[in-house]
Amino acid sequence: MGEGRHDDLVDALGYIDPAGLDYQSWLDVGMALHDSGLPMEAWDAWSRRDPARYHDGECARKWEGFGHGDGRVTSGTIAKMARDRGWDPRPAQQGPGEALEWDGEVAIVDPTWLEPSELPGADGADPAKELAAYISALFDGDEVVGYVCESFERDGRRIPANKGVFTRTANDILRDLDRYGDIDTALGAYDHDAGAWIRFNPLSGQGVRNVDVTEYRYALVESDTISKEMQLSIIRALELPCAAIVDSGGKSIHAIVRVDARDHSEYRDRVERLYSVCRKNGLEPDPQNKNPSRLSRMPGAVRGDAVQRLVSGPCGKPTWAEWWEWVQETSDDLPDPESLADAWDDMPELAPPLIDGVLRQGHKMLLAGPSKAGKSLALIELCAAIAEGASWMGWRCAQGRVLYVNLELDSASCLHRFRDVYGAMGLSPDHLGNIDVWNLRGRSVPMDRLAPSLIRRALKTRPIAVIIDPIYKVITGDENSASEMALFCNQFDKVAQQVGCAVIYCHHHSKGYQGAKRSMDRASGSGVFARDPDALLDMTELEVTDDCRREHDMRSSWAACQDVLDRCAPWWRDSVPPDTQGVAARFMDWAKDNMPFLIEKLDAAYSAAGEAARTATAWRIEGTLREFPGFTPRNLWFEYPAHRLDDTGALADLRPDGEPPTPAERRRRGRGRASKRVEEERRERVRIMRDALAACREDGIKPTRDAVREMIERIEGMTVSKETMQNWTQARAKWSPIRCRQDGSNELYDTEDEAIDWDGEASVG
């Protein structure tokens, strides 16, 4: 459907009543919707408007059998039906800041710049030779040609009286024209006041209906809204692939245009496209001439005071395919290549930055991150920063209007978030009029359908940035397909170009740990998401150590206390002892005795800041930039509802979640794990010995080494050898779990029958 203007196609569909269509036309609507990328539900919902013929499930069954892009029926089918019923599509508007017309085609020629073409006069005409040239150009020798010579008058006009002749071949007619040199003799007498008619497509010889057409080769373009001279100029300027051009002898030129269709459905589609191009370039074709078996004016025949002259034989592009490719290339609205030599000494100005050092105005940016990174809140923070001309994540933003497209939150939640973010950022809401919020939760559509509506609304306010949050709600196609995602991302280019604004959007990470990946490889789906934007900012969570969190807790609590003091007791720095400033807990103890009038507010701020710090998460933003040099990764604390730049450097040494440790870190961790394992084994031996010695006392058994070994086997179910017991009870062994003392000495019993007196002390060596 050209540029995918689905919303206009749905609008056109509203003008068509399914109850007024025959079965084939109803099917054609479904095939056109399928070809345009709209869902089956659109066809089903429209079909329900005809309850008498609607059958539940029939649309779904038919839909499965429709082809994919075979060109038989397209959106032009629906457009034509709607136009015939009064639909008036918006006129095409081209250029920066203007939305494309729904089928994407633009004017190729400007009739106001064309000069009228000269038509041949009646003098010197050879009717038989002109007709022979016409037939030779259109038909093969063995093909049947239909024509009508008889006419009658109706409402003051002479029109064909019957179906005419439809059994003679082109060779038959050419032979007689050559033999007699006269149309009246070769074809039969006709009324010279009315002229004669001929069919431009070959027939079966059985009749003159559309089903009797054997080759859907040509279509008729006829218009009488402008002069014949201007009609001819436009036909030539459009390079229509004409087999012949005939002066009707009346108000119009008849262009016999090669369409080379395989069947009737393709013929209808190509005629729709042909007429659409003509219509947009100042030539309004008569829609009654669409039939492939239609009659056209016979060249060489006399019509009153004029002659139906053969103006031209084959001209324009040689085939439909070449012409259509030329139309697409000519009407693509792409700029011509520029010579570098012409611009070298007069370089155009670069677009000004929207986010200093990151993104220019009119460019695209993607913010990627995992779930719960606060991406939506980060984008709301960006909205506020642009509206107020403030900083975002430490980058200064240009001030201007911004449109936030909310696809995920209900309207109330979204608006409350804006208020909360303003408060958390400490921004004064002086320029709220710079922010427009478009709430589309529950109403989102694929991006190719959303883009035209977005452009129309954005053109009313001219924002310098459009923020779309999140894109998974509007993705069209498989996010892992590079080709489909390239088409999807092209919609952002369209918005940026037509509105003249930056487009900023967010996307989620793929599953699994992201620390081991490059920042540009973390976004879910195709690599197009990394390559398409001019700036890619990626958020990864950091593993926060206990020491780092305690430091953050202390700093946050003290900052909250300072905020209260600055507002309520601006003289406080002169009163609080220097050794108390900077340590929140110490200050709170001092404040209880020296600032009792503020203690309630200080307590509330201290507690709230501490709670926020304890639940805060740490994040690192890395960037891949096209227009600016790379930047040092920035570290942030995310304390709902806002992100705060870490200006202390506390997060600089932390690693992203899932990032593999360095070799040195692995060695340190290995040693730490080994030490921990030895420590655990020692403690377990201590427990076993204590339990065994206690059991010996309870049973009144003298705790010799042999007795303790037997008690361990009975209690723990484990066998301890004499050598092991000897090692466990050696005071000189640093790793020994038990050091036994008797009478305050370190002497141990060395024989099996000597007791192991235990004074309750046990230490790990």
Side-chain angles (χ1 to χ4, degrees):
M1 188 183 168
E3 300 299 329
R5 298 294 296 272
H6 287 172
D7 55 341
D8 287 343
L9 181 56
V10 172
D11 181 53
L13 197 62
Y15 284 76
I16 305 171
D17 183 2
L21 300 181
D22 57 27
Y23 181 74
Q24 182 58 50
S25 298
W26 173 73
L27 278 180
D28 287 347
V29 170
M31 285 188 282
L33 293 173
H34 185 280
D35 181 73
S36 302
L38 282 167
M40 181 277 296
E41 288 76 12
W43 188 35
D44 187 78
W46 171 78
S47 299
R48 290 176 185 270
R49 291 165 52 189
D50 181 12
R53 292 191 296 176
Y54 176 80
H55 298 289
D56 192 29
E58 184 176 9
C59 289
R61 291 192 296 273
K62 297 292 184 185
W63 192 268
E64 293 177 357
F66 293 159
H68 296 277
D70 58 6
R72 293 180 60 245
V73 180
T74 69
S75 57
T77 304
I78 294 177
K80 172 58 174 62
M81 291 181 180
R83 283 193 183 98
D84 292 346
R85 290 162 175 79
W87 181 57
D88 183 20
R90 293 183 309 279
Q93 300 175 354
Q94 295 301 308
E98 296 176 327
L100 290 170
E101 190 177 355
W102 70 272
D103 60 4
E105 296 169 3
V106 298
I108 297 173
V109 301
D110 183 352
T112 62
W113 289 93
L114 294 178
E115 294 185 359
S117 296
E118 185 177 352
L119 294 171
D123 297 340
D126 187 328
K129 287 185 177 180
E130 288 192 3
L131 179 55
Y134 178 92
I135 292 175
S136 298
L138 269 65
F139 302 97
D140 292 335
D142 59 351
E143 290 179 334
V144 174
V145 180
Y147 57 90
V148 176
C149 292
E150 298 180 21
S151 64
F152 73 99
E153 184 176 348
R154 175 189 292 172
D155 299 329
R157 298 176 60 236
R158 303 293 298 183
I159 60 175
N162 49 45
K163 297 178 181 179
V165 178
F166 48 84
T167 56
R168 300 184 68 188
T169 66
N171 281 338
D172 294 338
I173 298 172
L174 291 173
R175 183 191 62 238
D176 287 351
L177 286 171
D178 182 61
R179 176 185 302 173
Y180 302 113
D182 179 71
I183 293 177
D184 291 81
T185 307
L187 275 67
Y190 68 93
D191 184 347
H192 285 218
D193 288 333
W197 299 266
I198 189 168
R199 302 185 193 277
F200 44 82
N201 279 313
L203 302 174
S204 65
Q206 303 300 314
V208 296
R209 297 176 303 168
N210 290 336
V211 295
D212 294 310
V213 173
T214 58
E215 293 287 340
Y216 297 94
R217 193 177 295 156
Y218 306 109
L220 172 61
V221 172
E222 177 195 9
S223 176
D224 58 6
T225 58
I226 56 177
S227 70
K228 292 192 293 185
E229 290 78 9
M230 285 303 301
Q231 293 175 43
L232 181 58
S233 292
I234 295 175
I235 290 169
R236 287 173 170 168
L238 288 176
E239 297 197 38
L240 297 182
C242 297
I245 300 176
V246 178
D247 183 344
S248 69
K251 297 180 179 180
S252 63
I253 295 292
H254 287 204
I256 311 302
V257 181
R258 183 180 289 275
V259 294
D260 302 318
R262 292 169 298 178
D263 50 35
H264 188 239
S265 293
E266 187 173 64
Y267 181 86
R268 291 171 60 184
D269 172 64
R270 292 191 173 184
V271 171
E272 289 286 356
R273 284 191 268 169
L274 171 65
Y275 279 23
S276 176
V277 172
C278 291
R279 190 178 300 113
K280 291 170 185 176
N281 288 276
L283 187 67
E284 187 68 39
D286 186 345
Q288 297 182 2
N289 291 329
K290 291 183 176 180
N291 290 346
S293 62
R294 189 75 177 179
L295 287 167
S296 177
R297 286 291 171 173
M298 181 187 295
V302 176
R303 182 182 180 186
D305 296 332
V307 178
Q308 298 173 179
R309 292 297 308 272
L310 180 65
V311 176
S312 172
C315 61
K317 297 296 180 183
T319 65
W320 167 271
E322 291 180 62
W323 177 75
W324 186 248
E325 183 179 358
W326 174 80
V327 168
Q328 297 298 95
E329 291 177 352
T330 307
S331 63
D332 62 11
D333 200 33
L334 296 177
D336 293 330
E338 298 180 69
S339 170
L340 183 58
D342 295 339
W344 190 260
D345 295 324
D346 187 21
M347 286 289 180
E349 290 186 11
L350 293 170
L354 177 70
I355 305 172
D356 281 354
V358 176
L359 183 69
R360 295 190 183 279
Q361 296 184 32
H363 290 194
K364 297 178 295 181
M365 186 178 86
L366 166 63
L367 176 66
S371 177
K372 309 309 177 186
K375 297 186 295 295
S376 293
L377 288 164
L379 292 179
I380 291 176
E381 293 166 34
L382 179 56
C383 287
I386 294 174
E388 305 297 340
S391 292
W392 178 71
M393 309 293 187
W395 291 292
R396 191 73 184 177
C397 297
Q399 187 172 15
R401 195 154 187 150
V402 58
L403 172 60
Y404 179 74
V405 183
N406 166 40
L407 300 166
E408 197 168 44
L409 301 173
D410 65 76
S411 177
S413 296
C414 181
L415 296 177
H416 275 273
R417 278 195 175 191
F418 270 91
R419 178 188 284 271
D420 294 343
V421 164
Y422 257 86
M425 292 178 70
L427 289 177
S428 176
D430 298 328
H431 301 90
L432 293 179
N434 279 344
I435 300 178
D436 295 303
V437 182
W438 194 17
N439 292 303
L440 292 180
R441 174 170 169 164
R443 297 183 177 89
S444 57
V445 294
M447 191 63 203
D448 57 347
R449 292 177 55 194
L450 178 65
S453 301
L454 174 56
I455 290 170
R456 285 199 299 272
R457 285 164 174 80
L459 287 174
K460 297 177 182 177
T461 58
R462 297 287 181 175
I464 63 173
V466 168
I467 297 178
I468 301 172
D469 178 30
I471 60 169
Y472 80 84
K473 288 280 191 177
V474 293
I475 281 183
T476 306
D478 179 5
E479 74 171 22
N480 294 299
S481 167
S483 58
E484 292 182 12
M485 288 306 97
L487 293 174
F488 168 69
C489 290
N490 284 345
Q491 303 300 322
F492 301 135
D493 289 308
K494 219 174 279 183
V495 175
Q497 270 189 336
Q498 295 298 313
V499 181
C501 66
V503 177
I504 299 164
Y505 51 100
C506 74
H507 192 38
H508 57 85
H509 275 177
S510 57
K511 294 181 180 178
Y513 289 110
Q514 306 296 323
K517 299 179 183 178
R518 295 182 303 167
S519 60
M520 65 183 299
D521 295 330
R522 293 169 185 155
S524 176
S526 167
V528 169
F529 288 119
R531 297 187 295 271
D532 179 73
D534 300 290
L536 166 61
L537 299 186
D538 185 81
M539 301 177 68
T540 50
E541 188 168 8
L542 301 177
E543 296 178 351
V544 182
T545 63
D546 292 340
D547 289 343
C548 185
R549 189 170 295 282
R550 280 192 294 271
E551 177 71 15
H552 180 59
D553 187 349
M554 182 186 71
R555 289 179 178 274
S556 298
S557 299
W558 176 231
C561 290
Q562 288 183 82
D563 182 61
V564 173
L565 292 170
D566 287 339
R567 286 186 286 107
C568 302
W571 40 264
W572 68 273
R573 286 180 176 82
D574 297 329
S575 302
V576 179
D579 61 344
T580 302
Q581 296 185 24
V583 182
R586 187 180 300 169
F587 168 78
M588 290 299 292
D589 290 338
W590 180 87
K592 289 176 183 177
D593 297 328
N594 296 276
M595 291 184 172
F597 60 94
L598 279 182
I599 197 63
E600 185 175 342
K601 290 183 179 180
L602 288 168
D603 267 336
Y606 182 88
S607 299
E611 179 62 26
R614 284 186 287 276
T615 59
T617 52
W619 298 85
R620 179 166 295 154
I621 289 190
E622 299 172 272
T624 303
L625 309 179
R626 181 172 290 141
E627 288 285 315
F628 297 94
F631 58 85
T632 302
R634 302 200 170 192
N635 300 312
L636 312 165
W637 286 103
F638 176 39
E639 297 177 0
Y640 187 91
H643 299 78
R644 302 181 188 278
L645 195 64
D646 172 38
D647 53 6
T648 67
L651 302 179
D653 295 331
L654 300 187
R655 292 192 167 274
D657 187 24
E659 180 174 307
T662 64
E665 287 176 328
R666 283 196 295 269
R667 287 193 295 270
R668 285 197 299 272
R669 291 182 184 181
R671 288 194 297 268
R673 284 193 295 268
S675 299
K676 184 177 181 181
R677 186 172 60 253
V678 171
E679 175 78 9
E680 289 173 351
E681 290 174 354
R682 288 173 178 170
R683 291 186 182 278
E684 180 64 9
R685 290 170 184 171
V686 169
R687 183 192 66 77
I688 292 172
M689 288 290 290
R690 282 176 171 170
D691 290 348
L693 288 168
C696 286
R697 289 195 187 93
E698 289 177 4
D699 292 348
I701 300 173
K702 186 178 181 179
T704 65
R705 289 186 176 91
D706 283 344
V708 171
R709 286 174 52 236
E710 292 174 2
M711 189 63 70
I712 290 174
E713 184 173 358
R714 191 179 77 184
I715 295 174
E716 303 292 338
M718 61 182 290
T719 300
V720 179
S721 67
K722 291 183 178 181
E723 291 77 9
T724 299
M725 179 58 63
Q726 183 71 25
N727 289 335
W728 283 15
T729 55
Q730 281 184 1
R732 292 184 300 276
K734 291 184 178 181
W735 49 265
S736 176
I738 294 290
R739 290 177 179 170
C740 300
R741 293 180 174 86
Q742 182 175 349
D743 300 330
S745 69
N746 289 329
E747 182 180 354
L748 299 176
Y749 293 106
D750 294 326
T751 60
E752 293 183 7
D753 59 350
E754 289 179 318
I756 307 175
D757 288 337
W758 183 54
D759 59 3
E761 294 181 2
S763 62
V764 178

